[in-house]
């Protein structure tokens, strides 16, 4: 869910823990590692914050396709076990009371922190998206409507904006499916351009969980499934969050 950057991802992916960098890695306890159930993780992650804006709720900028598919999946939360994930301005809001199990900590002003995919405040201009998670099947659907501030080729979403949102959807899915927290690697193949203001559907699945890693795949396509925009895969490192005594 949270990353220390591509440098660490490359190191983990190719060499494991190298001398001089082991202080960045958590100390695993095999007897207790990853003991939280999916239900517990969902409950911890999806708590309500009445004082903070939930960006996963519809607003006036959402188009007809985005709204209709949103309501379709909202009904599935009542009948098929899907969960609509809240989305706040920072991941700190989602893990209040907990912290990353890393000895090194960020020194940035917490009040200025903002999730990259929520960095554009004005509705409809940047990322408009909502993620639905299916706990029993360990999969997610993300509905994405790119705004004009995400433009790459004229009239189309920048490929990097899609890659960032796939990674974000991977991160939420990996965490809720088995406490996946750090991106080890990420690969994407672009197939077609996404028109600005249109709806793209990200279909994310957990392929396997082994050796403290969670492997995911994503197919991004149009609502009618006739156009594939991109295919991606990613790997996340499993790590348990630690209680943050500074917040008690």
């Amino acid at each position: 869910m949270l990353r220390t950057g591509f440098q660490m991802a490359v190191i983990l992916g190719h060499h494991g823990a190298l001398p001089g960098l082991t202080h960045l890695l958590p100390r695993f306890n095999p007897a207790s590692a990853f003991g939280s159930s999916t239900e517990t993780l969902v409950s911890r992650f999806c708590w309500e914050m009445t004082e903070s804006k939930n960006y996963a709720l519809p607003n006036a900028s959402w188009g007809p396709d985005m709204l209709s598919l949103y309501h379709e999946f909202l009904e599935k939360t009542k009948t098929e076990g899907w969960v609509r994930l809240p989305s706040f301005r920072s991941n700190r809001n989602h893990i209040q009371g907990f912290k990353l199990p890393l000895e090194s900590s960020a020194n940035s002003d917490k009040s200025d922190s903002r999730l990259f995919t929520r960095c554009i405040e004005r509705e409809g201009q940047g990322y408009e998206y909502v993620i639905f998670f299916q706990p029993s099947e360990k999969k997610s659907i993300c509905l994405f409507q790119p705004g004009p501030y995400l433009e790459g080729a004229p009239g189309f979403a920048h490929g990097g904006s899609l890659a960032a949102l796939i990674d974000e959807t991977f991160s939420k899915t990996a965490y809720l499916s088995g406490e996946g927290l750090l991106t080890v690697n990420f690969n994407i193949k672009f197939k077609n351009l996404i028109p600005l203001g249109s709806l793209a559907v990200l279909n994310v699945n957990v392929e396997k969980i082994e050796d403290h890693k969670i492997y995911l795949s994503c197919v991004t396509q149009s609502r009618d499934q006739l156009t594939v925009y991109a295919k991606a895969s990613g790997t996340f490192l499993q790590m348990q969050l630690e209680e943050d005594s500074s917040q008690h």
Side-chain angles (χ1 to χ4, degrees):
M1 183 170 68
L2 302 171
R3 299 185 297 174
T4 58
F6 284 108
Q7 181 180 5
M8 183 176 179
V10 172
I11 291 168
L12 288 171
H14 291 87
H15 302 289
L18 293 180
L21 288 168
T22 54
H23 67 283
L24 290 174
L25 299 178
R27 297 185 180 91
F28 288 109
N29 180 354
S32 62
F34 320 124
S36 299
S37 67
T38 299
E39 290 76 13
T40 298
L41 294 172
V42 170
S43 177
R44 178 192 299 172
F45 183 87
C46 295
W47 66 294
E48 293 295 328
M49 289 186 60
T50 55
E51 72 278 12
S52 298
K53 180 177 179 179
N54 183 356
Y55 292 88
L57 299 178
N59 62 60
S61 74
W62 287 20
D65 283 343
M66 181 88 163
L67 279 172
S68 64
L69 198 54
Y70 168 84
H71 286 295
E72 182 178 317
F73 273 91
L74 198 61
E75 285 300 312
K76 291 183 178 182
T77 64
K78 304 172 186 176
T79 60
E80 299 181 23
W82 287 82
V83 178
R84 180 190 60 194
L85 302 186
S87 182
F88 306 122
R89 65 177 293 166
S90 170
N91 276 321
R92 287 188 174 95
N93 300 128
H94 289 287
I95 60 172
Q96 284 194 1
F98 294 87
K99 64 180 181 179
L100 281 174
L102 302 174
E103 292 184 15
S104 59
S105 58
N107 295 316
S108 62
D109 183 357
K110 294 181 180 181
S111 64
D112 291 337
S113 297
R114 183 178 282 270
L115 188 64
F116 179 75
T117 52
R118 294 302 185 193
C119 65
I120 300 173
E121 184 67 29
R122 188 176 175 187
E123 293 178 351
Q125 298 304 298
Y127 284 97
E128 292 295 340
Y129 70 93
V130 56
I131 300 172
F132 289 88
F133 176 65
Q134 225 298 339
S136 62
E137 298 182 32
K138 290 182 170 56
K139 66 180 183 180
S140 294
I141 293 287
C142 176
L143 311 181
F144 173 39
Q145 179 183 293
Y149 289 3
L150 302 184
E151 185 178 69
F156 297 92
H158 193 290
S161 68
L162 175 60
L165 186 57
I166 293 175
D167 187 40
E168 176 63 16
T169 308
F170 274 169
S171 72
K172 298 300 189 285
T173 307
Y175 175 69
L176 296 175
S177 297
E179 295 174 285
L181 284 175
L182 297 180
T183 306
V184 176
N185 62 55
F186 178 89
N187 299 284
I188 187 168
K189 292 183 179 180
F190 297 102
K191 303 290 186 179
N192 288 285
L193 297 173
I194 302 175
L196 294 174
S198 68
L199 173 65
V201 182
L202 285 60
N203 301 275
V204 170
N205 289 279
V206 172
E207 299 297 334
K208 63 179 178 178
I209 302 176
E210 64 180 24
D211 298 328
H212 298 309
K213 294 185 181 72
I214 300 178
Y215 298 81
L216 305 102
S217 65
C218 175
V219 177
T220 302
Q221 56 193 2
S222 57
R223 180 177 181 175
D224 59 14
Q225 303 181 359
L226 296 179
T227 303
V228 174
Y229 296 121
K231 293 184 177 181
S233 62
T235 308
F236 279 71
L237 184 67
Q238 287 182 299
M239 300 167 65
Q240 282 189 310
L241 294 173
E242 297 177 349
E243 288 195 28
D244 188 353
S245 58
S246 67
Q247 296 190 30
H248 295 290

